[in-house]
Structure formats: structure tokens, C-alpha cells
Amino acid sequence: MKSVSEIVQIGPVIPVLTFESVEQGKQVVHALYQGGIKVLEITLRTAVGLQVIKHAAQFSSDIVVGVGTLTTVDQIEKAKRAGAIFGVSPGLTSDLHLAAKDIGLPLLPGVMTPSDILFALSLGYDIVKFFPAQQAGGLEMLKAFRGPFPTLRFCPTGGITKELARSFLSLPNVVCVGGSWLTPHTAITAQNWGEVTRLAHAASQLARANI
């Protein structure tokens, strides 16, 4: 079982994926993989999320499939059975923490405020998701967090674009970023999987200060 620390080092960008159909999910997973993306966050924002997780988990032995938008204990159990290797949540509760720990699903919990961070630190987390990153203060907020939380590492997600990704990854307390720009609506609607692969390749080559 990989730890969150190991997972976030695999690549600088974790695509945040929401699918309307299983077939769409299969095509996107293949296109991202062709572009060098090996870590995925497949959200549970639509009914097909678990089915796509199951497919992605069987697609290749070197893909690390994460489940996103975890908000309930029941979702954690179902995602683990579907083949998810790690979980991502928009926030953190004691119930989510305990359920993920008990079932053996490494968790990347969401934080937005200093109080959120203190709670996550109290439970032993040293890597967290800063969400929603842009709306919560973006680059300047992460710079400010370095003072009181010098050892904490972040995966900012929410409003990250390909233009902003480089700036976030240049921060010493950012280990990777999450984003949906690798799968633009226009490309998905047109089934332009080559464009998804192109964007994935560019994202996989981004440099980061923390690695």
C-alpha cells in the first residue's frame, strides 16, 4: 500500500476527473496515461464514478487511482472495494479519518483555514489538500501558511489553471497540484482525446520546488 507521501511524488499534477459515462471515463484514463499521468483523482460527483474507478484500477499496474469528493464513511468503503488506492476529501472529520484508517485507504484531506490545519495536524497528517485554493487565498495564503506550519506540505486544488500551476509548484510547501484543466469541456465534448494527451504530457513535465 502506497502512502500519500509516495503518491504525491509520482507526478506534479493530479487531474481531478468527473465523468458523465463509463465510456467517457475509459477514453480519458487512456488519454491521460498516454500523456504520462499515472495518478488520478476520480470524483464521486456523478453516478458513474465508482465504475470508472474500477476500470482505471484494472487498466495498468502502474496507475494509482484515487477517489475524490469523499464526504461519507459509506463512500470510503465502496471506493476501496472498487479499487481506489487513496482518497481525497474536501474537508476532514473524525469519522472520515477513522474510516479511512480502519479500511486502509490513505487519505489526502482538504483544509482551508488555520483551524482546519491544526485539526489535520492533530490527527497526524503532514500532507493536505488546500481547497478551494484560489477562492481561499491562492498563492499568498500558502506563503502565509509557511510561517506557522513550516513542515506541512500542500496539494492546492480548486481554480488551478495550467498558467497558475507553475507558480503554485514553485512554492516550497507545495508538493503537487490538483486540477481539471487537463480535461477541458471542449475536448471532452468533441472526443478530442489527443488534446487530453497533449495537455497531460505538458503537465507531467512541470517542475516543482519540493521534489
Side-chain angles (χ1 to χ4, degrees):
M1 182 176 70
K2 291 184 180 296
S3 67
V4 167
S5 179
E6 292 171 317
I7 291 167
V8 297
Q9 292 184 58
I10 294 172
V13 179
I14 299 177
V16 180
L17 307 168
T18 301
F19 299 115
E20 298 302 324
S21 70
V22 175
E23 181 58 30
Q24 184 185 83
K26 289 180 178 179
Q27 295 292 343
V28 169
V29 168
H30 181 263
L32 290 170
Y33 185 80
Q34 291 294 106
I37 296 294
K38 303 293 181 66
V39 180
L40 312 173
E41 178 190 336
I42 299 172
T43 73
L44 299 182
R45 297 176 187 176
T46 60
V48 301
L50 288 172
Q51 292 172 269
V52 180
I53 287 171
K54 185 175 182 179
H55 163 76
Q58 298 169 351
F59 176 74
S60 177
S61 60
D62 60 345
I63 275 189
V64 179
V65 183
V67 54
T69 324
L70 287 174
T71 58
T72 69
V73 170
D74 182 57
Q75 289 173 332
I76 289 176
E77 295 170 349
K78 289 179 178 178
K80 177 73 172 181
R81 288 199 298 269
I85 300 297
F86 71 103
V88 185
S89 61
L92 181 61
T93 66
S94 296
D95 286 344
L96 285 175
H97 165 73
L98 291 173
K101 185 177 180 180
D102 288 346
I103 207 168
L105 188 74
L107 185 64
L108 179 64
V111 302
M112 188 175 74
T113 69
S115 293
D116 294 340
I117 291 173
L118 288 173
F119 181 56
L121 289 172
S122 74
L123 294 176
Y125 293 95
D126 56 7
I127 302 175
V128 293
K129 167 184 172 179
F130 179 44
F131 177 81
Q134 278 297 89
Q135 296 86 341
L139 292 163
E140 295 307 313
M141 186 65 83
L142 285 172
K143 291 176 184 177
F145 281 158
R146 269 204 86 199
F149 311 114
T151 62
L152 191 62
R153 294 184 290 168
F154 294 89
C155 174
T157 306
I160 310 294
T161 65
K162 61 181 178 181
E163 292 80 16
L164 286 171
R166 291 182 186 277
S167 297
F168 277 98
L169 290 168
S170 71
L171 299 180
N173 57 346
V174 169
V175 68
C176 65
V177 299
S180 57
W181 82 87
L182 281 69
T183 53
H185 179 72
T186 52
I188 301 303
T189 300
Q191 299 185 29
N192 186 354
W193 312 127
E195 174 66 4
V196 174
T197 294
R198 185 189 70 80
L199 292 169
H201 178 72
S204 69
Q205 302 302 306
L206 289 172
R208 43 187 166 170
N210 200 279
I211 299 298

Coordinates of all heavy atoms in Angstrom, one line a residue, residues 88-181:
V88 N -9.4 11.3 -1.4 CA -9.3 12.8 -1.3 C -10.6 13.3 -0.9 O -11.7 13.0 -1.4 CB -8.9 13.4 -2.7 CG1 -8.6 14.9 -2.5 CG2 -7.7 12.8 -3.3
S89 N -10.6 14.2 0.1 CA -11.8 14.7 0.7 C -11.8 16.3 0.6 O -10.7 16.8 0.8 CB -12.1 14.3 2.1 OG -11.0 14.7 3.0
P90 N -12.9 16.9 0.5 CA -12.9 18.4 0.5 C -12.7 19.0 1.9 O -12.3 20.2 2.0 CB -14.3 18.7 0.0 CG -15.1 17.6 0.3 CD -14.2 16.4 0.2
G91 N -12.9 18.2 2.9 CA -12.7 18.6 4.3 C -12.3 17.4 5.1 O -12.0 16.3 4.6
L92 N -12.3 17.5 6.4 CA -11.9 16.4 7.3 C -12.8 16.4 8.5 O -13.0 17.4 9.2 CB -10.4 16.6 7.7 CG -9.8 15.5 8.6 CD1 -9.9 14.2 7.9 CD2 -8.4 15.9 9.0
T93 N -13.3 15.2 8.8 CA -14.0 14.9 10.1 C -13.3 13.7 10.8 O -12.6 12.9 10.1 CB -15.5 14.6 9.8 OG1 -15.6 13.3 9.1 CG2 -16.1 15.7 9.0
S94 N -13.6 13.5 12.0 CA -13.1 12.4 12.8 C -13.6 11.1 12.1 O -12.9 10.1 12.1 CB -13.5 12.5 14.2 OG -12.9 13.6 14.9
D95 N -14.9 11.1 11.7 CA -15.4 9.9 11.1 C -14.7 9.5 9.8 O -14.4 8.3 9.6 CB -16.9 10.0 10.8 CG -17.8 10.0 12.1 OD1 -17.3 9.6 13.2 OD2 -18.9 10.4 12.0
L96 N -14.5 10.4 9.0 CA -13.7 10.1 7.7 C -12.3 9.6 8.0 O -11.9 8.7 7.4 CB -13.7 11.4 6.9 CG -14.9 11.8 6.1 CD1 -14.7 13.1 5.4 CD2 -15.4 10.8 5.1
H97 N -11.7 10.3 8.9 CA -10.3 9.9 9.3 C -10.3 8.5 9.8 O -9.4 7.7 9.3 CB -9.8 10.8 10.4 CG -8.5 10.4 11.1 ND1 -7.3 10.3 10.5 CD2 -8.4 9.8 12.3 CE1 -6.4 9.8 11.3 NE2 -7.0 9.5 12.4
L98 N -11.1 8.1 10.7 CA -11.1 6.8 11.3 C -11.5 5.7 10.3 O -11.0 4.7 10.3 CB -12.1 6.8 12.5 CG -11.6 7.6 13.7 CD1 -12.7 7.6 14.8 CD2 -10.3 7.0 14.3
A99 N -12.5 6.0 9.5 CA -13.0 5.1 8.5 C -11.9 4.8 7.5 O -11.6 3.6 7.1 CB -14.2 5.6 7.8
A100 N -11.2 5.8 7.0 CA -10.1 5.6 6.0 C -8.9 4.8 6.7 O -8.3 4.0 6.1 CB -9.6 7.0 5.6
K101 N -8.6 5.2 7.9 CA -7.6 4.5 8.6 C -7.9 3.0 8.9 O -7.1 2.1 8.6 CB -7.3 5.2 10.0 CG -6.1 4.6 10.8 CD -5.9 5.4 12.0 CE -4.7 4.8 12.8 NZ -4.5 5.6 14.1
D102 N -9.2 2.7 9.3 CA -9.6 1.4 9.6 C -9.6 0.5 8.3 O -9.2 -0.7 8.4 CB -11.0 1.4 10.2 CG -11.0 1.9 11.6 OD1 -9.9 2.0 12.2 OD2 -12.1 2.2 12.1
I103 N -10.0 1.1 7.2 CA -10.1 0.3 6.0 C -8.8 0.2 5.2 O -8.7 -0.5 4.2 CB -11.2 0.8 5.1 CG1 -11.8 -0.3 4.2 CG2 -10.8 2.0 4.3 CD1 -13.1 0.1 3.6
G104 N -7.8 1.1 5.6 CA -6.5 1.1 4.9 C -6.5 1.9 3.6 O -5.9 1.5 2.6
L105 N -7.2 3.0 3.6 CA -7.2 3.9 2.4 C -6.5 5.2 2.8 O -7.1 6.0 3.5 CB -8.7 4.2 2.0 CG -8.8 5.0 0.7 CD1 -8.5 4.0 -0.5 CD2 -10.2 5.5 0.6
P106 N -5.3 5.4 2.4 CA -4.6 6.6 2.7 C -5.4 7.8 2.2 O -6.0 7.8 1.1 CB -3.3 6.5 1.8 CG -3.1 5.0 1.7 CD -4.4 4.5 1.5
L107 N -5.4 8.9 3.1 CA -6.3 10.0 2.8 C -5.6 11.3 2.7 O -4.7 11.6 3.5 CB -7.3 10.1 4.0 CG -8.4 11.2 3.9 CD1 -9.4 10.8 2.7 CD2 -9.2 11.3 5.2
L108 N -6.0 12.1 1.7 CA -5.5 13.4 1.5 C -6.6 14.3 1.8 O -7.5 14.6 1.0 CB -5.0 13.6 0.0 CG -4.5 15.0 -0.4 CD1 -3.2 15.3 0.3 CD2 -4.3 15.1 -1.9
P109 N -6.7 14.9 3.0 CA -7.8 15.6 3.5 C -7.8 17.1 3.1 O -6.7 17.7 3.0 CB -7.8 15.5 5.0 CG -6.3 15.4 5.3 CD -5.7 14.7 4.1
G110 N -8.9 17.7 2.8 CA -9.0 19.1 2.5 C -8.9 20.0 3.7 O -9.5 19.7 4.7
V111 N -8.2 21.1 3.6 CA -8.2 22.2 4.6 C -8.3 23.5 3.9 O -8.0 23.7 2.7 CB -6.9 22.1 5.4 CG1 -6.7 20.8 6.1 CG2 -5.7 22.5 4.6
M112 N -8.8 24.5 4.7 CA -8.9 25.8 4.1 C -8.4 26.9 5.1 O -7.9 27.9 4.7 CB -10.4 26.1 3.7 CG -10.5 27.4 2.9 SD -12.2 27.7 2.3 CE -13.0 28.2 3.8
T113 N -8.6 26.6 6.4 CA -8.2 27.6 7.4 C -7.2 27.1 8.3 O -6.9 25.9 8.4 CB -9.5 27.9 8.2 OG1 -9.8 26.8 9.0 CG2 -10.7 28.3 7.3
P114 N -6.6 28.0 9.1 CA -5.6 27.5 10.2 C -6.2 26.5 11.1 O -5.5 25.6 11.6 CB -5.2 28.8 10.9 CG -5.3 29.9 9.8 CD -6.6 29.5 9.0
S115 N -7.5 26.7 11.5 CA -8.1 25.7 12.4 C -8.3 24.4 11.7 O -8.0 23.3 12.4 CB -9.5 26.3 12.8 OG -9.4 27.4 13.6
D116 N -8.6 24.3 10.4 CA -8.6 23.1 9.7 C -7.3 22.4 9.8 O -7.1 21.2 10.0 CB -9.0 23.3 8.2 CG -10.4 23.8 8.0 OD1 -11.2 23.7 8.9 OD2 -10.6 24.4 6.9
I117 N -6.2 23.2 9.5 CA -4.9 22.6 9.5 C -4.5 22.1 10.9 O -3.9 21.0 11.0 CB -3.9 23.7 9.1 CG1 -4.0 24.1 7.6 CG2 -2.4 23.3 9.4 CD1 -3.2 25.2 7.1
L118 N -4.8 22.8 12.0 CA -4.5 22.3 13.3 C -5.2 21.0 13.6 O -4.6 20.1 14.2 CB -4.9 23.4 14.4 CG -4.0 24.6 14.4 CD1 -4.6 25.6 15.4 CD2 -2.6 24.3 14.9
F119 N -6.4 20.9 13.1 CA -7.2 19.6 13.3 C -6.5 18.5 12.5 O -6.3 17.4 13.1 CB -8.6 19.8 12.9 CG -9.4 18.5 13.0 CD1 -9.6 17.9 14.3 CD2 -10.1 18.0 12.0 CE1 -10.3 16.8 14.5 CE2 -10.9 16.8 12.1 CZ -11.0 16.2 13.4
A120 N -6.1 18.7 11.3 CA -5.4 17.7 10.5 C -4.1 17.3 11.1 O -3.7 16.1 11.2 CB -5.2 18.2 9.1
L121 N -3.3 18.3 11.6 CA -2.0 18.0 12.3 C -2.2 17.2 13.5 O -1.4 16.3 13.8 CB -1.3 19.3 12.6 CG -0.7 20.1 11.4 CD1 -0.2 21.5 11.9 CD2 0.4 19.3 10.8
S122 N -3.3 17.5 14.2 CA -3.6 16.7 15.5 C -3.9 15.2 15.2 O -3.7 14.4 16.1 CB -4.7 17.3 16.2 OG -6.0 17.0 15.6
L123 N -4.3 14.9 14.0 CA -4.6 13.5 13.6 C -3.4 12.9 12.9 O -3.5 11.7 12.5 CB -5.8 13.5 12.7 CG -7.2 13.9 13.3 CD1 -8.3 13.9 12.3 CD2 -7.5 13.0 14.5
G124 N -2.3 13.6 12.7 CA -1.1 13.0 12.2 C -0.8 13.3 10.7 O 0.1 12.7 10.1
Y125 N -1.6 14.1 10.1 CA -1.4 14.4 8.6 C -0.3 15.4 8.4 O -0.2 16.4 9.2 CB -2.7 15.0 8.0 CG -3.8 14.0 7.9 CD1 -4.8 13.9 9.0 CD2 -3.9 13.0 6.9 CE1 -5.8 13.0 8.9 CE2 -4.9 12.1 6.9 CZ -5.9 12.1 7.9 OH -6.9 11.1 7.9
D126 N 0.6 15.1 7.4 CA 1.6 16.0 7.1 C 1.5 16.5 5.7 O 2.3 17.4 5.2 CB 3.0 15.4 7.4 CG 3.3 14.1 6.6 OD1 2.4 13.7 5.8 OD2 4.3 13.5 6.9
I127 N 0.6 16.0 4.9 CA 0.3 16.5 3.6 C -1.3 16.6 3.5 O -2.0 15.7 3.8 CB 0.7 15.5 2.5 CG1 2.2 15.2 2.6 CG2 0.4 16.0 1.1 CD1 2.7 14.1 1.6
V128 N -1.7 17.8 3.0 CA -3.1 18.1 3.0 C -3.5 18.7 1.6 O -2.6 19.2 0.9 CB -3.6 19.0 4.1 CG1 -3.5 18.3 5.5 CG2 -2.8 20.3 4.1
K129 N -4.7 18.7 1.3 CA -5.2 19.4 0.1 C -5.7 20.8 0.5 O -6.5 20.9 1.5 CB -6.4 18.6 -0.5 CG -7.2 19.2 -1.5 CD -8.4 18.3 -1.9 CE -9.4 19.0 -2.8 NZ -10.5 18.1 -3.2
F130 N -5.2 21.8 -0.1 CA -5.7 23.2 0.2 C -6.8 23.5 -0.8 O -6.6 23.5 -2.0 CB -4.5 24.2 0.0 CG -4.9 25.6 0.2 CD1 -5.7 26.0 1.3 CD2 -4.5 26.6 -0.7 CE1 -6.0 27.3 1.5 CE2 -4.8 27.9 -0.5 CZ -5.6 28.3 0.6
F131 N -8.0 23.6 -0.3 CA -9.2 23.6 -1.1 C -10.3 24.5 -0.5 O -10.5 24.5 0.7 CB -9.8 22.2 -1.3 CG -11.1 22.1 -2.1 CD1 -11.0 22.2 -3.5 CD2 -12.3 22.1 -1.4 CE1 -12.2 22.1 -4.2 CE2 -13.5 22.0 -2.2 CZ -13.4 22.1 -3.6
P132 N -11.0 25.3 -1.4 CA -10.7 25.6 -2.8 C -9.6 26.6 -2.9 O -9.7 27.7 -2.3 CB -12.0 26.1 -3.3 CG -12.7 26.8 -2.1 CD -12.2 26.0 -0.9
A133 N -8.5 26.3 -3.5 CA -7.2 27.0 -3.4 C -7.3 28.5 -3.8 O -7.0 29.4 -3.0 CB -6.1 26.3 -4.3
Q134 N -7.8 28.7 -5.0 CA -7.9 30.1 -5.5 C -8.9 31.0 -4.6 O -8.6 32.1 -4.3 CB -8.3 30.2 -6.9 CG -7.1 30.0 -7.9 CD -6.1 31.0 -7.8 OE1 -5.2 30.9 -7.0 NE2 -6.2 32.1 -8.6
Q135 N -10.0 30.4 -4.4 CA -11.0 31.1 -3.6 C -10.6 31.3 -2.1 O -11.1 32.3 -1.5 CB -12.4 30.3 -3.6 CG -13.0 30.2 -5.0 CD -12.4 29.0 -5.8 OE1 -11.4 28.5 -5.5 NE2 -13.2 28.6 -6.8
A136 N -9.7 30.5 -1.6 CA -9.3 30.6 -0.2 C -8.0 31.4 -0.1 O -7.5 31.4 1.0 CB -9.1 29.2 0.3
G137 N -7.6 32.1 -1.1 CA -6.4 33.0 -0.9 C -5.2 32.6 -1.8 O -4.2 33.4 -1.9
G138 N -5.3 31.5 -2.5 CA -4.3 31.2 -3.5 C -2.8 31.2 -3.0 O -2.5 30.7 -1.9
L139 N -2.0 31.7 -3.9 CA -0.5 31.7 -3.6 C -0.2 32.4 -2.3 O 0.7 31.9 -1.6 CB 0.2 32.3 -4.8 CG 0.2 31.6 -6.1 CD1 0.6 32.5 -7.3 CD2 1.1 30.4 -6.1
E140 N -0.8 33.6 -2.1 CA -0.4 34.4 -0.9 C -0.8 33.7 0.4 O -0.1 33.8 1.4 CB -1.1 35.7 -1.0 CG -0.6 36.6 -2.2 CD 0.9 36.7 -2.2 OE1 1.5 37.0 -1.1 OE2 1.5 36.6 -3.2
M141 N -1.9 32.9 0.3 CA -2.3 32.2 1.6 C -1.3 31.1 1.8 O -0.9 30.9 3.0 CB -3.7 31.6 1.4 CG -4.2 31.0 2.7 SD -4.5 32.1 4.0 CE -6.1 32.8 3.6
L142 N -0.9 30.4 0.8 CA 0.1 29.3 1.0 C 1.4 29.8 1.5 O 2.1 29.2 2.3 CB 0.2 28.5 -0.3 CG -0.9 27.5 -0.6 CD1 -0.7 26.9 -2.0 CD2 -1.0 26.4 0.5
K143 N 1.8 31.0 1.0 CA 3.0 31.6 1.5 C 2.9 32.0 3.0 O 3.8 31.8 3.8 CB 3.3 32.9 0.7 CG 3.8 32.6 -0.7 CD 4.0 33.9 -1.5 CE 4.3 33.7 -2.9 NZ 4.4 35.0 -3.7
A144 N 1.7 32.4 3.4 CA 1.5 32.8 4.8 C 1.4 31.6 5.7 O 1.9 31.7 6.8 CB 0.1 33.6 4.9
F145 N 1.0 30.5 5.2 CA 0.9 29.2 6.0 C 2.3 28.7 6.3 O 2.4 28.0 7.3 CB 0.1 28.1 5.2 CG -1.4 28.3 5.3 CD1 -2.2 27.7 4.3 CD2 -2.0 29.0 6.3 CE1 -3.5 27.8 4.3 CE2 -3.4 29.1 6.3 CZ -4.1 28.5 5.3
R146 N 3.3 29.1 5.6 CA 4.7 28.5 5.8 C 5.2 28.9 7.2 O 5.9 28.2 7.8 CB 5.6 29.0 4.7 CG 5.8 28.1 3.6 CD 7.1 28.3 2.9 NE 8.1 27.5 3.5 CZ 9.4 27.7 3.3 NH1 9.9 28.7 2.6 NH2 10.3 26.9 3.9
G147 N 4.8 30.1 7.6 CA 5.3 30.6 8.9 C 4.9 29.7 10.1 O 5.7 29.1 10.8
P148 N 3.6 29.6 10.3 CA 3.1 28.8 11.5 C 3.1 27.3 11.2 O 3.1 26.5 12.2 CB 1.7 29.3 11.6 CG 1.2 29.8 10.3 CD 2.5 30.3 9.7
F149 N 3.2 26.9 9.9 CA 3.2 25.4 9.6 C 4.3 25.1 8.7 O 4.1 24.7 7.5 CB 1.8 25.1 9.0 CG 0.6 25.6 9.7 CD1 -0.2 26.6 9.2 CD2 0.3 25.1 11.0 CE1 -1.3 27.0 9.8 CE2 -0.8 25.6 11.7 CZ -1.6 26.6 11.1
P150 N 5.6 25.2 9.2 CA 6.7 25.0 8.3 C 6.9 23.6 7.7 O 7.6 23.5 6.7 CB 7.9 25.4 9.2 CG 7.4 25.2 10.6 CD 6.0 25.5 10.6
T151 N 6.4 22.6 8.4 CA 6.7 21.2 7.9 C 5.5 20.7 7.1 O 5.6 19.6 6.5 CB 6.9 20.3 9.1 OG1 5.7 20.2 9.9 CG2 8.1 20.8 9.9
L152 N 4.4 21.4 7.0 CA 3.2 20.9 6.3 C 3.4 21.1 4.8 O 3.8 22.2 4.4 CB 2.0 21.6 6.8 CG 0.6 21.0 6.4 CD1 0.4 19.6 6.9 CD2 -0.5 21.9 6.9
R153 N 3.0 20.1 4.0 CA 3.0 20.2 2.6 C 1.6 20.2 2.0 O 0.7 19.5 2.6 CB 3.8 19.0 2.0 CG 5.3 19.1 2.4 CD 6.1 18.0 1.7 NE 5.8 16.7 2.3 CZ 6.2 15.6 1.7 NH1 6.9 15.6 0.6 NH2 5.9 14.4 2.3
F154 N 1.4 20.8 0.9 CA 0.1 21.1 0.4 C -0.1 20.6 -1.1 O 0.9 20.6 -1.9 CB -0.3 22.5 0.4 CG -0.4 23.1 1.7 CD1 0.7 23.7 2.4 CD2 -1.6 23.2 2.4 CE1 0.6 24.2 3.6 CE2 -1.7 23.7 3.7 CZ -0.6 24.3 4.3
C155 N -1.3 20.2 -1.4 CA -1.7 19.9 -2.8 C -2.8 20.9 -3.0 O -4.0 20.5 -2.8 CB -2.1 18.5 -3.0 SG -2.8 18.1 -4.6
P156 N -2.6 22.1 -3.5 CA -3.7 23.0 -3.8 C -4.5 22.6 -4.9 O -4.0 22.1 -6.0 CB -2.9 24.3 -4.1 CG -1.6 23.9 -4.5 CD -1.2 22.7 -3.8
T157 N -5.8 22.7 -4.7 CA -6.8 22.3 -5.7 C -8.0 23.2 -5.7 O -8.4 23.6 -4.6 CB -7.3 20.8 -5.4 OG1 -6.2 20.0 -5.3 CG2 -8.2 20.3 -6.5
G158 N -8.5 23.5 -6.9 CA -9.6 24.4 -7.0 C -9.3 25.8 -7.6 O -8.6 26.6 -7.0
G159 N -9.6 25.9 -8.9 CA -9.3 27.1 -9.6 C -7.9 27.1 -10.2 O -7.5 28.2 -10.7
I160 N -7.2 26.0 -10.1 CA -5.8 26.0 -10.7 C -5.9 25.8 -12.2 O -6.6 24.9 -12.7 CB -5.0 24.8 -10.1 CG1 -5.1 24.8 -8.5 CG2 -3.6 24.8 -10.5 CD1 -4.4 25.9 -7.9
T161 N -5.2 26.6 -12.9 CA -5.1 26.6 -14.3 C -3.7 26.2 -14.8 O -2.8 26.2 -13.9 CB -5.5 27.9 -15.0 OG1 -4.5 28.9 -14.6 CG2 -6.8 28.4 -14.5
K162 N -3.6 25.9 -16.0 CA -2.2 25.5 -16.5 C -1.2 26.7 -16.3 O -0.1 26.5 -16.1 CB -2.2 25.0 -17.9 CG -2.7 26.0 -18.9 CD -2.7 25.4 -20.3 CE -3.3 26.3 -21.4 NZ -3.3 25.7 -22.7
E163 N -1.8 27.9 -16.4 CA -0.9 29.1 -16.2 C -0.5 29.3 -14.8 O 0.6 29.7 -14.5 CB -1.7 30.3 -16.7 CG -1.9 30.4 -18.2 CD -3.1 29.6 -18.7 OE1 -3.9 29.2 -17.9 OE2 -3.2 29.3 -19.9
L164 N -1.5 29.0 -13.9 CA -1.2 29.1 -12.4 C -0.4 28.0 -11.9 O 0.3 28.1 -10.8 CB -2.5 29.3 -11.7 CG -3.3 30.6 -11.8 CD1 -4.6 30.4 -11.1 CD2 -2.5 31.7 -11.1
A165 N -0.4 26.8 -12.5 CA 0.2 25.6 -11.9 C 1.7 25.8 -11.6 O 2.2 25.4 -10.6 CB 0.0 24.4 -12.8
R166 N 2.4 26.5 -12.6 CA 3.8 26.7 -12.4 C 4.1 27.5 -11.1 O 5.1 27.2 -10.4 CB 4.4 27.4 -13.6 CG 4.5 26.5 -14.9 CD 5.1 27.3 -16.0 NE 5.0 26.6 -17.3 CZ 5.8 25.6 -17.6 NH1 6.8 25.2 -16.8 NH2 5.7 25.0 -18.8
S167 N 3.3 28.5 -10.9 CA 3.5 29.4 -9.8 C 3.3 28.6 -8.5 O 4.1 28.8 -7.5 CB 2.6 30.6 -9.8 OG 2.9 31.4 -11.0
F168 N 2.2 27.8 -8.4 CA 2.0 27.1 -7.2 C 3.1 26.0 -7.0 O 3.5 25.9 -5.8 CB 0.6 26.3 -7.3 CG -0.6 27.2 -7.0 CD1 -1.3 27.8 -7.9 CD2 -0.9 27.4 -5.6 CE1 -2.4 28.6 -7.6 CE2 -2.0 28.1 -5.3 CZ -2.8 28.8 -6.3
L169 N 3.5 25.4 -8.0 CA 4.6 24.4 -7.9 C 5.9 24.9 -7.5 O 6.8 24.2 -7.0 CB 4.7 23.5 -9.1 CG 3.5 22.6 -9.4 CD1 3.5 22.1 -10.9 CD2 3.4 21.5 -8.4
S170 N 6.1 26.2 -7.7 CA 7.4 26.9 -7.3 C 7.5 27.1 -5.8 O 8.6 27.4 -5.3 CB 7.5 28.2 -8.1 OG 6.6 29.2 -7.6
L171 N 6.3 27.0 -5.1 CA 6.4 27.2 -3.6 C 7.0 26.0 -2.9 O 6.7 24.9 -3.2 CB 4.9 27.5 -3.1 CG 4.2 28.7 -3.7 CD1 2.8 28.8 -3.1 CD2 5.0 30.0 -3.4
P172 N 7.8 26.3 -1.9 CA 8.5 25.2 -1.2 C 7.6 24.3 -0.4 O 8.0 23.2 -0.1 CB 9.5 25.9 -0.3 CG 9.0 27.3 -0.2 CD 8.3 27.6 -1.5
N173 N 6.4 24.7 -0.1 CA 5.5 23.9 0.7 C 4.4 23.3 -0.2 O 3.4 22.7 0.3 CB 4.8 24.7 1.8 CG 4.1 25.9 1.4 OD1 4.2 26.4 0.3 ND2 3.3 26.5 2.3
V174 N 4.5 23.3 -1.5 CA 3.6 22.7 -2.4 C 4.3 21.5 -3.0 O 5.4 21.6 -3.7 CB 3.1 23.6 -3.5 CG1 2.4 22.9 -4.6 CG2 2.2 24.7 -2.9
V175 N 3.7 20.3 -2.9 CA 4.3 19.1 -3.4 C 3.7 18.7 -4.7 O 4.3 18.0 -5.6 CB 4.2 17.9 -2.4 CG1 2.7 17.5 -2.2 CG2 5.0 16.8 -2.8
C176 N 2.4 19.1 -5.0 CA 1.8 18.8 -6.3 C 0.5 19.7 -6.3 O 0.2 20.3 -5.3 CB 1.4 17.3 -6.5 SG 0.2 16.7 -5.3
V177 N -0.1 19.7 -7.5 CA -1.4 20.5 -7.6 C -2.4 19.5 -8.2 O -2.1 18.6 -8.9 CB -1.2 21.7 -8.5 CG1 -0.2 22.7 -7.9 CG2 -0.9 21.4 -9.9
G178 N -3.7 19.9 -7.9 CA -4.8 19.2 -8.5 C -5.5 20.1 -9.4 O -5.6 21.3 -9.1
G179 N -6.0 19.6 -10.5 CA -6.7 20.5 -11.4 C -7.5 19.7 -12.5 O -7.3 18.5 -12.7
S180 N -8.4 20.4 -13.1 CA -9.3 19.8 -14.1 C -9.0 20.4 -15.5 O -9.6 20.0 -16.5 CB -10.8 20.1 -13.8 OG -11.0 21.5 -13.7
W181 N -7.9 21.2 -15.6 CA -7.6 21.8 -16.9 C -7.1 20.7 -17.9 O -7.0 21.0 -19.1 CB -6.6 22.9 -16.8 CG -5.2 22.5 -16.7 CD1 -4.3 22.3 -17.7 CD2 -4.4 22.3 -15.5 NE1 -3.0 22.0 -17.3 CE2 -3.1 22.0 -15.9 CE3 -4.7 22.4 -14.1 CZ2 -2.1 21.7 -15.0 CZ3 -3.7 22.1 -13.2 CH2 -2.4 21.7 -13.6

